[in-house]
Structure formats: C-alpha cells, structure tokens
Amino acid sequence: MLSTKDKIKYVAFKLFLEKGYEATNIREICNEVGIKPSSLYFYFKSKEELFFSIYDEVWGDKIRFIENVEELKKNISPDVKLYSVFKNTVEYCSKDICRQKFLLRYHLFPPEELIKVLRDKFKYWVDRENLIIANLVRDCIEKKILGSRISVADFLKDYNKFTTFQIIEMIISNIKLSSTEINNLWLKFWSSNYS
Amino acid sequence: MLSTKDKIKYVAFKLFLEKGYEATNIREICNEVGIKPSSLYFYFKSKEELFFSIYDEVWGDKIRFIENVEELKKNISPDVKLYSVFKNTVEYCSKDICRQKFLLRYHLFPPEELIKVLRDKFKYWVDRENLIIANLVRDCIEKKILGSRISVADFLKDYNKFTTFQIIEMIISNIKLSSTEINNLWLKFWSSNYS
DNA sequence: GTCTATAAGAGGATAGAC
DNA sequence: GTCTATCCTCTTATAGAC
C-alpha cells in the first residue's frame, strides 16, 4: 500500500506525463488521490517542488541503475562492460517506457517557468551517465581495443545519439526490443564505427 | 507588411511552439501583436480555431510542397523520383526546423482538449504523404526495380521511420544536412534494405 | 476593425479548525 | 495529517460603443 505522499507522486507523474506540467492542476491530482488540495501542500510546498521531486526520482533511479550494472564490477574487458551498460540501459528503458517519455517530454519541451532548473538538472544527470561511458572508452583505448585516434567526446556523442534514438523509437512504436535485437543493434553500432 | 491576421498567426505559432498550447495565453499573443484580446476574436472564434488554422497551414504547406516536387512530373525512373522526394523533403524540413518541431510537439504530446481532432488531422496529412511514396514504390515493383517480395506497407513504415528520425536529429542537434550527406543517407537506406 | 469593460470560471496557494 | 473556507490572480470569451 502506497503512502499518501507516494500516491500523490504516482498520480502527478501520470498527469505530468500525459497532460504536461501547465495543463495539470493540483485539484485534479488531489481528486484522483482522494485528498483535498490543502493536504497536498502538507507534503510539497508548491507544484514546482512536486514536479522536481518526481523528475529527480526518475533520473536518479535510471542513473543509479546504470551505475550499478553488475558487469562494471567484474574483471572483464572494457568493451564487454560497454556492451553490458548499453544492453542494461536499453532493457531498463524498455521496461518502463513511460518514464523515458517523461524525461524526453521535459527535455524537448520544457515549461518556461522550469526551463532554467531543468537545464541544470538535465546536465547533471547526463554528465553522470557520460562519466561511466567515458571511463570505459578510455579503458578501451588504453588497452588498444579502440584505436588511439578515437576521441572520447565523439564516441560519447555517437553513443548518446544512438541510445536516444533507440529510446525514441521505443516511445513512438511502443515496441520492446528482444535480447537478440539489442545485441544486433550493438554489433551494428560498434562494427560500423569502431573496428 | 503582414496583415493583422497573419501577425496573430505568426506570433501564435512561435508561442505555441515554444510554450505549448496550454501555457500560451491570448493576452500574451495580443500584447506581442499590439492589439486587444477582443480584436483577436474578430479573426478567430476561439483559441482552438487559431491553433488549428496554424496547424493545418504548416502541414498543408509541407504536403503541397512534396506533392509538387518537380521530378514527380518528369519521365524518369520511379526510384529516382523516390530519391528526389526524400531529398526535397529533408531539405524542406531542414530549411524550417521550427515548423517540424511544431508538428513533432503536437504529435508526441497533444494537449488533451485537442487530442481527438489532432489525431484525425495527423492521419489525414500522413496518409496524403504516404500516397505519394506508396505509388512510387508500386511503380518500382512493377518495373522490377524492387523485388516483388517487398511489401508496400513495410516500405512505408521503414521510410517514415527513416525520415522521422532525420527530422528528430535535425531538431535535437540543430544541424542542417548538406546535399552530399542527404545523398549518402539515402544510399545507406536504399542499399541496406532494398538491393 | 478595434476598443473598453466585464462576465464567469479555473488556477495556485494559504489560514486556521480538528 | 486532513479538512473547510477562502484569497487573489489569471484565463477565455463576450457585449456593446466607436
């Protein structure tokens, strides 16, 4: 059973995703939760605070999941780790497309009143994700798995474009990828650029 | 010099794109145009009518442009026509990324009050675009340029995915593609799927 | 065509009782 | 913690003068 606070966040997430921040109003959230608006303000001091508590949770869950991918701790080749991170990321996203759609919505079309804070937060979380990838790429270069001509920044750009598009495709077509398909995608990405 | 009606549409387009339908209010549009809200209602009977007059114009301009691609009237091979349509579409989109971003915004995240009408209108315009492509693909199959195993519906799906992603990439990275890059993209698409 | 004035309602947020 | 009651502002839209 969810606490009142969690119920509010659950309902608000759904509405912020489907209707957007501006079009979602406190009264509607409260109606669905079964409380009065004044009760919501006991848990969150404003609509904006409620929104960011959800936004940070969604990003936080995703990044912590990636940081804790098991293979990262094993004593294996960095390119295998890279593949594991990609695979786990895509699988994680495909398990809960709604959350990725939420992140995409507020990345592509941030509400004016939130735009500055959103930009900062977005940068913080993406940097944290990029750190993992960048370290693995540097490892690959050090161990001569990738040529020393390869720029880490360019790799990151390609990698992010690649994953972003996989996620957008899942959102638009609403189709989950199988393990084999994910593997094939990775092979295509890796072989066409880095071997 | 723009007429008052066109000024309203110009300002409203900008705000509907940047702030979204719900967050854009009549007062702000009118302030920027330099009229009073009551004057706007002389030209458009509601905010919704104003929105759809813009939405239909953006789609209409795009589809009519594609329908009037010169090569379509020439006596040339259908696969060359197909390439021309692709090239012209991408060039058209890259010339005015804002309009494509507008269409993407209301496709991915339609405001609740407009969702039904938007769905119908979207289907109408996409069907009209698909008709052009489908006819060319059928021509290709008839003239044995494409194998008879190829399903027109599948080709359309691939083609639409391909163009949608080019457009999204232009929106996200804000980079216009050169003629050579467009050509290379097409070769990659065509050769990897249909030869 | 454009204005002033205003209706009618929805929005976020708060005060204070229980 | 949750409620009732309410404040104040913003919103779309209309009536009617010029």
Side-chain angles (χ1 to χ4, degrees):
Chain A
M1 196 55 194
L2 291 177
S3 68
T4 304
K5 190 169 184 176
D6 285 337
K7 261 190 245 169
I8 294 170
K9 286 174 85 172
Y10 174 81
V11 171
F13 168 80
K14 218 180 54 183
L15 293 173
F16 285 150
L17 167 64
E18 285 164 13
K19 309 182 61 170
Y21 180 78
E22 298 98 333
T24 299
N25 66 64
I26 303 288
R27 280 179 175 78
E28 193 179 354
I29 297 171
C30 293
N31 274 341
E32 253 188 76
V33 173
I35 56 169
K36 299 292 165 185
S38 47
S39 301
L40 185 144
Y41 286 93
F42 174 78
Y43 297 101
F44 303 95
K45 78 164 199 284
S46 66
K47 187 182 175 181
E48 190 175 323
E49 191 187 277
L50 169 59
F51 175 83
F52 282 121
S53 108
I54 294 167
Y55 184 82
D56 283 331
E57 188 179 304
V58 172
W59 260 120
D61 285 350
K62 179 177 175 176
I63 300 303
R64 279 187 297 272
F65 173 85
I66 298 173
E67 285 171 343
N68 290 316
V69 163
E70 269 191 30
E71 282 82 354
L72 284 173
K73 296 163 203 156
K74 290 186 186 162
N75 189 19
I76 51 178
S77 166
D79 58 328
V80 178
K81 287 186 184 179
L82 213 44
Y83 166 66
S84 276
V85 169
F86 170 75
K87 182 169 176 275
N88 276 281
T89 303
V90 174
E91 279 173 353
Y92 178 85
C93 293
S94 100
K95 249 182 232 150
D96 199 344
I97 295 176
C98 285
R99 289 181 145 219
Q100 309 316 311
K101 192 171 176 180
F102 177 90
L103 295 182
L104 184 72
R105 171 167 205 149
Y106 292 100
H107 176 44
L108 284 182
F109 307 110
E112 208 181 31
E113 7 167 356
L114 310 179
I115 201 162
K116 283 186 184 172
V117 184
L118 273 172
R119 248 204 282 270
D120 290 347
K121 286 184 182 287
F122 181 81
K123 189 175 163 10
Y124 168 77
W125 292 112
V126 169
D127 281 351
R128 210 162 134 181
E129 187 179 356
N130 281 346
L131 190 64
I132 305 169
I133 309 300
N135 284 335
L136 292 176
V137 173
R138 269 189 284 269
D139 266 14
C140 284
I141 295 172
E142 220 168 84
K143 299 195 173 158
K144 318 266 187 200
I145 297 165
L146 283 173
S148 59
R149 291 166 291 99
I150 285 179
S151 131
V152 177
D154 285 350
F155 188 100
L156 270 184
K157 234 166 106 180
D158 283 355
Y159 179 85
N160 284 331
K161 197 171 115 180
F162 186 58
T163 50
T164 302
F165 279 62
Q166 293 314 320
I167 290 167
I168 292 181
E169 196 186 335
M170 289 193 288
I171 291 171
I172 292 182
S173 68
N174 207 28
I175 285 172
K176 294 181 185 185
L177 295 170
S178 72
S179 215
T180 323
E181 286 167 323
I182 295 175
N183 192 15
N184 286 338
L185 277 171
W186 179 255
L187 288 177
K188 211 172 165 182
F189 170 72
W190 186 262
S191 69
S192 77
N193 291 294
Y194 305 102
S195 66
Chain B
M1 196 52 195
L2 290 177
S3 67
T4 304
K5 189 169 183 176
D6 285 337
K7 260 191 246 167
I8 294 170
K9 285 173 84 173
Y10 175 80
V11 170
F13 168 79
K14 219 181 54 184
L15 293 173
F16 284 151
L17 166 65
E18 285 164 13
K19 311 182 60 169
Y21 180 78
E22 299 97 333
T24 299
N25 65 63
I26 304 289
R27 273 183 179 76
E28 194 178 353
I29 298 171
C30 293
N31 275 341
E32 254 188 75
V33 173
I35 55 169
K36 299 292 164 186
S38 47
S39 302
L40 186 145
Y41 286 94
F42 174 78
Y43 297 102
F44 303 96
K45 78 165 202 283
S46 66
K47 186 181 175 182
E48 190 175 325
E49 191 189 276
L50 168 60
F51 175 83
F52 281 121
S53 108
I54 294 166
Y55 184 81
D56 282 331
E57 188 179 303
V58 173
W59 260 120
D61 286 351
K62 179 176 176 177
I63 299 304
R64 279 187 298 272
F65 172 84
I66 298 174
E67 285 170 342
N68 289 316
V69 163
E70 270 190 30
E71 281 82 355
L72 284 175
K73 296 164 201 154
K74 290 185 186 163
N75 189 18
I76 51 178
S77 165
D79 58 329
V80 177
K81 289 186 183 180
L82 212 45
Y83 167 65
S84 276
V85 168
F86 171 75
K87 184 170 175 275
N88 276 282
T89 303
V90 174
E91 278 173 355
Y92 178 85
C93 293
S94 101
K95 249 180 232 151
D96 199 345
I97 295 175
C98 285
R99 290 180 145 220
Q100 308 317 310
K101 192 171 176 180
F102 177 89
L103 295 182
L104 184 73
R105 171 166 204 150
Y106 292 99
H107 176 45
L108 284 181
F109 306 111
E112 210 181 30
E113 6 166 359
L114 310 179
I115 200 162
K116 282 186 184 174
V117 184
L118 273 171
R119 248 205 280 270
D120 289 347
K121 286 184 182 287
F122 180 82
K123 188 176 164 7
Y124 168 77
W125 293 112
V126 169
D127 281 350
R128 212 162 131 180
E129 187 179 356
N130 282 346
L131 190 63
I132 307 169
I133 310 300
N135 283 334
L136 293 175
V137 173
R138 268 189 285 269
D139 265 15
C140 285
I141 295 173
E142 221 167 82
K143 297 191 174 162
K144 318 268 187 199
I145 297 164
L146 285 173
S148 59
R149 291 165 292 95
I150 284 177
S151 132
V152 178
D154 284 350
F155 188 100
L156 270 184
K157 234 167 106 179
D158 283 355
Y159 179 85
N160 285 330
K161 198 171 112 181
F162 186 57
T163 51
T164 302
F165 278 63
Q166 293 314 320
I167 291 167
I168 292 181
E169 196 186 337
M170 291 193 288
I171 291 171
I172 292 182
S173 68
N174 207 28
I175 287 171
K176 293 181 186 188
L177 294 171
S178 71
S179 215
T180 324
E181 286 167 323
I182 295 175
N183 192 14
N184 286 339
L185 277 171
W186 179 255
L187 288 177
K188 211 172 165 184
F189 170 72
W190 186 262
S191 69
S192 77
N193 291 295
Y194 304 103
S195 66

